[in-house]
Amino acid sequence: MTDVLPPVAKSFHTLCKKCEVERYHKVLTHTSATSAKIECEVCHSKKTYTIPKAGSSMAKKATTKSKTGVVKPRAKKNSHADEYGALMLNRGAEKGTPFSIKTKFKNDEKIEHGKFGPGFVKAVQPDRVDVMFSDEVKTLMHNKV
Ligand SMILES: [Zn+2]
């Protein structure tokens, strides 16, 4: 196997994808130490020829294999994200009530918090509400006059 490019203006035999057979290709120019612009002598299609590196394709395959082999365990931690994701999926387009500690919120109400973003009321107490935001449930004051 050769690891040197054929010289410019010389022809060598390699597969032409357009002709779908091996054709003589003329080297037009070297684009790097390992690749060259070549032209099929039959159909005149131009392409970049790169010297195949021994072992590189094998290494790539091995990397892909190890990546696909990894299965993420389903952690309990995800349940919050799952619930919030489901709420956003169903009610993401709903207009939330802008959050203010002066407003009295109802259970299951969607709110829009200036800092935490969209949230859903999970529990209501006279002066506090538990609101589910994307990262956690926060207890906020409300109904303050
Ligand atoms: Zn060709």
Side-chain angles (χ1 to χ4, degrees), residues 65-99:
K65 207 175 186 180
S66 68
K67 261 186 191 169
T68 52
V70 175
V71 179
K72 272 192 180 174
R74 205 173 168 79
K76 274 188 178 173
K77 217 176 157 186
N78 283 348
S79 62
H80 174 92
D82 286 349
E83 190 181 345
Y84 185 81
L87 282 165
M88 282 305 279
L89 202 67
N90 291 326
R91 301 173 60 190
E94 193 181 308
K95 192 162 168 52
T97 310
F99 183 81

Side-chain angles (χ1 to χ4, degrees), residues 6 17-19 31 33-34 41 52-53 55 59 74 85 88 99 101 112-113 117 123 140:
K17 277 182 185 153
K18 209 164 177 188
C19 301
T31 51
T34 53
E41 292 196 339
K53 272 185 199 146
R74 205 173 168 79
M88 282 305 279
F99 183 81
I101 63 165
E112 203 60 57
H113 197 284
L140 305 170

Side-chain angles (χ1 to χ4, degrees), residues 16 19 40 43:
C16 173
C19 301
C40 174
C43 72

